[in-house]
Amino acid sequence: MHTHDSADRSLSRRAVLKAGGATLAAAATGPYVIGLGRAHAATPKRGGEFRFRGYTPPHFDPHLTASYTTMINLSFTHSRLLKHKAGPDVKPGTFDIVGDLAESWSQTDDKTYVFKLKKGVKWHNKPPVNARELTAEDVKFTFERFTTIKGNANAHMMATLDKTEVVDKYTVKFTLKEPDVFFLDFLANPMALCIVAREAVDKLGDLKKPEAIIGTGPWMFDRHEPKVRTTFVRNPDYFIKGLPYIERIEGIDFNDPAARLAAFVTGQIDAGPEFPGMMIRRQDWGIIKDKRPKLRYVEFPSNVMTHAGMRIDKAPFGDVRVRRALSMALDRKAILQATAEGVGVMNPPIPAALSAWSVPYDQMGDGLKWDQHNPAEAKKLLAAAGHPNGFSTTLEYTTYGSQELIDAVQMSVKFWKDIGVEVKVVEKPYAAYFATAYQGKQDAMMMGPQFPALDPWNFLAQYLPGEPKNQSHVNDPALTDMVMNIRRTQDDKKRLAQIHAAQKHIANQAYYCRLPSGIYIAALDPALDNFGANLGYDYGGRMMAAWWNK
Amino acid sequence: MLRKYFLKRLLVALPSFLIATVIVFSLVRLIPGDVVVLMMEENQYAEDLEAMRKKLGLDRPIYVQYFEWMGRAMQGDLGESLYTRRPVARELAARVPVSLELGLVAILCAILVGVPIGIISATRQDTAQDYVARGGAILGLSVPGFWLGTLVVVLPAIYFKWSPSIQFTRWEDDPWGHVAQFLLPGFLLGIGSAASIMRLTRTQLLEVLRQDYVRTAWSKGLNERLVVLKHSLKNALIPVVTVLGIQIAQVLSGTVIFESIFGLPGMGRFLFDAITERDYPVIQGINLVVVATVVTVNLLVDLVYAYLDPRIRF
Amino acid sequence: MANHVETAAPATWSADAPRASGLRRALVAAARFARQKPLGAAGAVIILALLLMAAFAEWIAPYAYDHQVQGARLKPPGAGHLLGTDNVSRDIFSRIVYGARVTVTVSFATVFLGNLLATAVGITSGYFRGRYDIAVQRVVDAWQSFPFLVIILSLLAVLGSGMLNVILSLSILVAATASRVIRSATLAVVENQYVEAARALGAGHGRIMLRHILPNVTATIVVIATIGLGGIILAESALSFLGYGVPPPHPSWGAMLSGSGRTYMYVAPWMAIWPGVAISLVVFAFNMLGDALRDVFDPRLRGSRGGGVR
């Protein structure tokens, strides 16, 4: 049984904590103290505007799209039950769960969670919600809409949720169909399960229009000019008194990479312009350092992992020797060199960026062998598998508009050519790729970046037969058991060991050819205080307690 | 007479316009079947295949759909964007002025640059200035526009720490800033047209200047030359007016690229985004508006041409 | 539009030359051309180089276009790599040479197809006149009302990208504009006496069009085709920039310029400079050669506006 409250400060994912009213009070008033109980030196200042590279979403309804363009915008205006800890002392790549709207929560048994909401949380003062108080009914409404509405690409997150019940005005009870240790991670996901107001849905039919952006978050929606900019203004009645400090947030939609960079170099935006937030390209670092010498930089690995999948249910990929050969043909260091200036991390099946769950690369065991660049050995394996002269196949991908991806694919094809495997590249438009290859409907091989999830389940679930993202059509009963067990194991340490074991197994079976990931460089104006960069779409959460020191 | 001429031209332009609308309309019909499935499944534009086909207007015979579509278009209803579910006409209304402003600046630059250089080139035929001007013109036609645009955005940022404002400024917020942001991309967009105009001005002027009476007057000295120049220009420039008609199409083409690089929310950029998102109603709407613009401008140009050159209308 | 400016018959200047040997005649003509139109001749030389590069890429290029030279990443032009190397350690000079293949293929195929269609449309339109002519001209008008990028992108959005679709879409546009010019040229030829004479003698329409009209409009076709080639190359590079150009692995100059050339612009400007120079040079060459040919074949054509005479 675990109990947590909103002032959870420990570094480990779950810890038993003494519940206490004192800590709660301190967190609710005064300058927001985050990090390891250490108050920040400088005094926060109110005011100022933060300009960053924003995105124009197709619409603003979090239940009808999974697009980051929507989620990033909503991270400023909406709250979830739980969120990820943010701040300069948070190690990028770690995602400790803290309460957002939840005052405290407890797991009463394997399948039941009870949440106590903070009191006095007000919706934004906008019609038709008009600053009324948030209650458990809002949570119930949100979860029911999330699970029942047609066309919710994220619905699978709550696949194990059975029912949501209102216990009293500030208490919600979730009952699952079966144990799911990742339930809380899903709740903290930015921003799929942000809490929405019934009145907005009733009045407008759905939450797509900008008028429907009504949340309980630190900023309120101000203006939206499609493909130009989206602006947010400070919420004067935010439930954490004193926050936020920054008065205006402006997300400017830049189409062109050259224009973005020029804008950043000349100070038209305050943070790096590249996805997923505040990043700069390594190739540009030299010029940026030259023109804006006082910037602050933070480097951390990217959780975007590109891999090549192959139809294990078809010849010749069913033979593990063929898969291992394909993996060994690749010179991952060369690909890293060409696409990320040689700076990056090798990826186990869970990207190395997610250090809390990724098995340390050198502990990958037997699987490590198949990641080494060894064309001679690869040819031998192919011969042993009955293909002494190689074979021909096809590979489907979409460019994502990324020169790096194009180069990575071209290089991989060249490496496979070197061991006798002729790969014909079929480039598909974005939507076509998503409807086919991304969901395993490719003819033979596919290649592409995977969804940059912040939890391990996303990366493990795709090995279950029947899962849409099981691009290689893996059907490994032993692995399936392992993965399903992981979802049920309540003990943190045991679960982590199982997660590592699963990765080792996957690596040894060479189900995918995983490519290394580059290392992001987050670049920030040094006058921005109390801000910590991290992966994920929670821009608002990271910005919430930051202030301008000028 | 002018009115009769205008009606005559209208009679010619109208069928072309209608044929163009048929082409625009048929675009949607050309979508491969599996793409329709994709739009339903992946883009989630509709709940099932029936609804998707209905949304695209594929469920009824083509001629019925065409007349309905044209009928609605005439009333200003261009359908709904699949991506944003907002009326296409409203989105266009916000973006058309931006493209028109960009185009206007481009054409003005083209004329202001092309005509004087053409005159210089013609009056100093086969001199160094002529060759430089002609060489420069061809160069202006040979460099890819997006590359020029990139250089203009990027190089000043490196060397002067200045870059054209990438944020779009609305007229309401800052009138001068609003106008100023079109100057640089407009100029670059106009360079290609400037080159064509320059060459045409040159050849037209040369033809006129070659005539005997002109040469006689020319040899008489500077004062005579000025008079002659004025007279010749008037004749020479008439065909240049007609070039503008063709250049409109070219310029509208270029807006796709320059709006993208300079962050201007115009029709070109809108079209490009719509194509990325397979937003066919928007693609159709933009094509319709663009074609209508080109046809209208050409009609106006015809009128101006007829006004300037009486030989035409009689 | 002013439908009243029409071209006279292009002067078939070789018709009265003495019957010297074919090769010698050609060389004499070439020499005269070079003297009279130096810019055009320079253009011809550049185009010849382009064609040679495309045809003999394997012999000219020191490396394969996808060969990754060990230890030679982002090297500036210099020893071992005439034009430097790119971010994937590939030799840029080799990629420019192989890129000529794509340039030549796309542009020549487009212009060939486009002008084939335009010739068929233009000649029949100018020969038969009447309602057929009027209808065809309205259709051509309609196609010309579309800004090329707008209609090409829309077509590609529907048909999908890829070299073949790019060629097909561009051909249609080329055909529209070219058919106009060819029609005008046909109108001029048809007025000639010998066409009437041929008809009086009972020659069929097809025979007249093929044997009498076509040879006389060939010069026009060559001129607009040459000038058109430059425009197609620029169009392909614009499409590459927008992401709809010719996909890899074959290097295309447009893709090199607009892709990693732009990304590495600060760090390795040579990655962009060389394809940019190649494109500009070749477009320049086609324009110059086309201009020169136009001056030579028919001085009256000089008055036309960049290839579109109504």
Side-chain angles (χ1 to χ4, degrees), chain A residues 229 254-255 268 291 435, chain B residues 38 158 161 166-168 260:
Chain A
R229 79 192 118 231
F254 292 93
N255 206 20
Q268 289 181 43
K291 298 298 153 192
Chain B
L38 289 181
I158 309 184
K161 210 161 172 211
I166 304 300
Q167 269 215 66
F168 181 67
S260 187

Side-chain angles (χ1 to χ4, degrees), chain C residues 51 101-117 163-164 166-172 174-175 225 229 232-233 286:
Chain C
L51 291 171
R101 221 165 246 188
V102 171
T103 304
V104 167
T105 309
V106 171
S107 55
F108 278 74
T110 302
V111 166
F112 175 75
L113 272 178
N115 279 289
L116 197 64
L117 184 58
M163 185 143 94
L164 188 61
V166 168
I167 292 176
L168 287 177
S169 325
L170 287 175
S171 305
I172 300 181
V174 166
L229 281 164
I232 297 299
I233 295 174
F286 278 123

Side-chain angles (χ1 to χ4, degrees), chain B residues 113-135 137 195 197-211 214-215 218 225 228-229 232-233 236-237 240, chain C residues 302:
Chain B
V113 168
V115 169
I117 297 187
I119 294 177
I120 295 176
S121 198
T123 54
R124 288 174 227 255
Q125 191 188 7
D126 290 334
T127 60
Q129 283 134 326
D130 181 20
Y131 281 119
V132 164
R134 284 162 70 198
I197 289 180
M198 181 240 123
R199 288 165 82 196
L200 186 62
T201 305
R202 178 181 177 276
T203 51
Q204 290 301 113
L205 196 55
L206 277 178
E207 283 229 12
V208 173
L209 288 179
R210 253 196 272 271
Q211 291 170 30
V214 174
R215 295 215 286 196
W218 195 261
R225 288 193 185 184
V228 154
L229 208 51
S232 318
L233 270 180
L237 287 182
V240 177
Chain C
R302 248 186 263 127

